[in-house]
Amino acid sequence: MRILQGYTRAVSAKYTGAGLWPARTFSDVLDQHARERPDRVALVDGERRLTFGELREACERVARGLAALGIDNEEILAVQLPNSIELCLAILATERVGAAYNALNPLFRRQELETILGVTRPRGIVIPARWQGFGYPALVRELRPMLPGLRHVLAVGPDTPDDARDFATLGQDAPPVDLDVRYPRDPDRVWMLGVTSGTTGTPKIYMHTVNSQLGEALAFDRELGITADDVFLAMAPLTHRGAVMVGFFMALAAGATLVLLDRYEPGGALDLMARERCTCVFAIPTQAWDVLREDARQPRDVRALRLIMMSGAPIPADLVAALGERWPSCLPLSGYGLSETGFATYTRPSDPPERLFTCGRAAPGMEVRALDEQGGVLPPGEVGELGIRGHQVCAGYFANQE
């Protein structure tokens, strides 16, 4: 199939020439880390750990398995998994074979899935065999008559049903294939599909390219001073675009470690922060309050935490004050954006404290303006519609470019 996107080769050349798009893929980045730091831990999932060398090997295996199933070259793989190694493998493997990754929140049920999958029409879907007491295979069985193009169901976890394939074995018996020859790496390709979080109308499915995501991650890392020595905690679902950016994508871009929490719970989050000596975490303000109160109730050693990136709601002054009092070594940062634009603005570690209550300055290469009803730029202090333009903006809406 052919995915219609809004970017052109001329736009790609413009952003690449300006250094805003790296003209590389996450697979390229993973290859580099696997060569330079193969034994460095890339992912932590409970008691399981994968080094960058092991992560690359596992991604290649899963990619060969997807290719054998025909889930490649702009075919769509829907993935409805909690934070896990398997989710990260599915995300990277789709990029490796030129497929599109359709992110689905694991809490979605029939109504949401019927709407979303009815539009994206995936060739395959990856689900838990069971998570939080819910049986996902039964839900997919209900939906299959409405999804004639769905050919493959891949299940994660024990007790894989007969009408699904065990994700853990994907690619083990796949025929050998030179992935580099068969699937030339193309950072301009549409890779990630997700549902907007708007509150009105029918949900729209944004499309991001590899370039828009890796470009944002690399710039974000530079602006925040992220290095390979950092340890991210994925506390929010990585199927959310903001969480996968300030988590998996930024960690991978920097060669840092990502610690995965499959179900948010303040005590569990703090336990992981302490055990893995996490340095960076993404949270909505209510989660920040939750972990602060839990730490006050039962203190943990989270002195390694140096950055907490907050978004999704205004950051109240008393929260910033509480963070400074309870965790003086942790700097609160804030950002604003949409699934379609990435983090268009955010504060930086070098910003003065009085700026922490704002949503920051524009990200590198992004333009942000307040506009009147005719599209004219408003002067400072005036209220209008927010316009955002730049290299992080998505490539349009899937099957809805008008």
Side-chain angles (χ1 to χ4, degrees):
M1 64 179 296
R2 171 70 178 155
I3 297 178
L4 178 66
Q5 64 155 299
Y7 286 129
T8 64
R9 292 294 178 183
V11 171
S12 177
K14 170 188 171 184
Y15 287 146
T16 302
L20 298 169
W21 279 356
R24 301 173 70 205
T25 66
F26 281 100
S27 297
D28 294 326
V29 172
L30 178 57
D31 287 350
Q32 179 181 344
H33 295 326
R35 289 193 307 269
E36 297 177 355
R37 50 181 70 86
D39 298 324
R40 164 99 183 174
V41 175
L43 299 175
V44 177
D45 181 359
E47 299 304 314
R48 299 187 297 164
R49 293 171 184 265
L50 281 189
T51 65
F52 280 106
E54 292 167 338
L55 177 59
R56 183 188 183 278
E57 181 179 343
C59 283
E60 294 284 302
R61 172 182 59 79
V62 174
R64 289 193 298 271
L66 293 179
L69 298 178
I71 304 174
D72 57 4
N73 291 328
E74 296 191 351
E75 291 291 345
I76 294 170
L77 178 69
V79 183
Q80 189 181 23
L81 293 176
N83 292 351
S84 58
I85 285 174
E86 289 77 15
L87 173 59
C88 295
L89 288 174
I91 292 173
L92 288 176
T94 52
E95 188 211 70
R96 192 67 182 86
V97 295
Y101 155 63
N102 183 189
L104 300 171
N105 189 301
L107 296 179
F108 285 169
R109 295 297 181 254
R110 177 169 181 145
Q111 182 177 351
E112 295 95 340
L113 293 183
E114 191 172 346
T115 299
I116 297 165
L117 300 181
V119 176
T120 60
R121 299 187 177 277
R123 187 178 183 90
I125 188 169
V126 187
I127 54 173
R130 179 169 290 274
W131 183 69
Q132 298 297 297
F134 184 76
Y136 290 78
L139 175 58
V140 172
R141 286 187 203 104
E142 292 179 25
L143 294 170
R144 288 196 84 159
M146 292 163 276
L147 301 171
L150 184 64
R151 295 285 185 266
H152 307 286
V153 179
L154 307 167
V156 174
D159 302 322
T160 299
D162 293 338
D163 56 352
R165 181 186 297 262
D166 186 355
F167 185 86
T169 66
L170 187 61
Q172 288 182 355
D173 299 322
V177 58
D178 189 327
L179 295 174
D180 285 324
V181 172
R182 186 169 174 180
Y183 306 107
R185 304 183 189 194
D186 182 5
D188 288 323
R189 188 189 297 271
V190 167
W191 166 47
M192 188 165 69
L193 309 177
V195 183
T196 59
S197 53
T199 56
T200 60
T202 303
K204 299 179 292 296
I205 298 167
Y206 64 78
M207 303 186 295
H208 273 295
T209 66
V210 179
N211 258 331
S212 73
Q213 297 307 281
L214 183 53
E216 180 184 354
L218 290 168
F220 225 155
D221 282 344
R222 288 194 302 270
E223 296 291 299
L224 269 55
I226 302 298
T227 72
D229 294 326
D230 278 302
V231 180
F232 283 80
L233 173 63
M235 193 163 63
L238 293 181
T239 48
H240 181 274
R241 208 229 61 104
V244 77
M245 177 54 63
V246 190
F248 188 32
F249 292 168
M250 289 176 65
L252 182 56
T257 299
L258 176 67
V259 179
L260 297 153
L261 179 65
D262 72 334
R263 180 177 63 87
Y264 170 67
E265 186 272 318
L270 281 169
D271 289 342
L272 280 178
M273 287 183 203
R275 188 186 82 182
E276 302 298 336
R277 298 194 59 77
C278 296
T279 62
C280 305
V281 64
F282 170 75
I284 60 175
T286 53
Q287 289 176 322
W289 275 123
D290 288 345
V291 293
L292 277 177
R293 291 176 180 132
E294 171 63 21
D295 190 56
R297 187 188 69 82
Q298 183 180 341
R300 276 81 154 180
D301 182 0
V302 295
R303 286 173 293 178
L305 192 65
R306 67 182 188 88
L307 294 176
I308 180 167
M309 182 72 184
M310 294 178 287
S311 186
I315 315 299
D318 54 348
L319 174 55
V320 173
L323 283 164
E325 180 179 347
R326 185 82 195 165
W327 297 340
S329 62
C330 177
L331 180 65
L333 300 174
S334 64
Y336 171 82
L338 311 171
S339 298
E340 292 94 329
T341 68
F343 284 90
T345 71
Y346 45 87
T347 56
R348 274 66 160 184
S350 59
D351 287 339
E354 61 268 22
R355 295 295 184 184
L356 293 177
F357 311 114
T358 75
C359 58
R361 295 176 281 124
M366 296 296 287
E367 298 175 83
V368 182
R369 300 286 185 270
L371 308 174
D372 61 24
E373 293 182 357
Q374 288 72 45
V377 177
L378 290 168
E382 296 295 319
V383 175
E385 184 176 33
L386 196 65
I388 300 173
R389 179 169 64 188
H391 65 106
Q392 294 176 187
V393 174
C394 70
Y397 296 107
F398 182 81
N400 191 16
Q401 284 294 45
E402 68 275 12

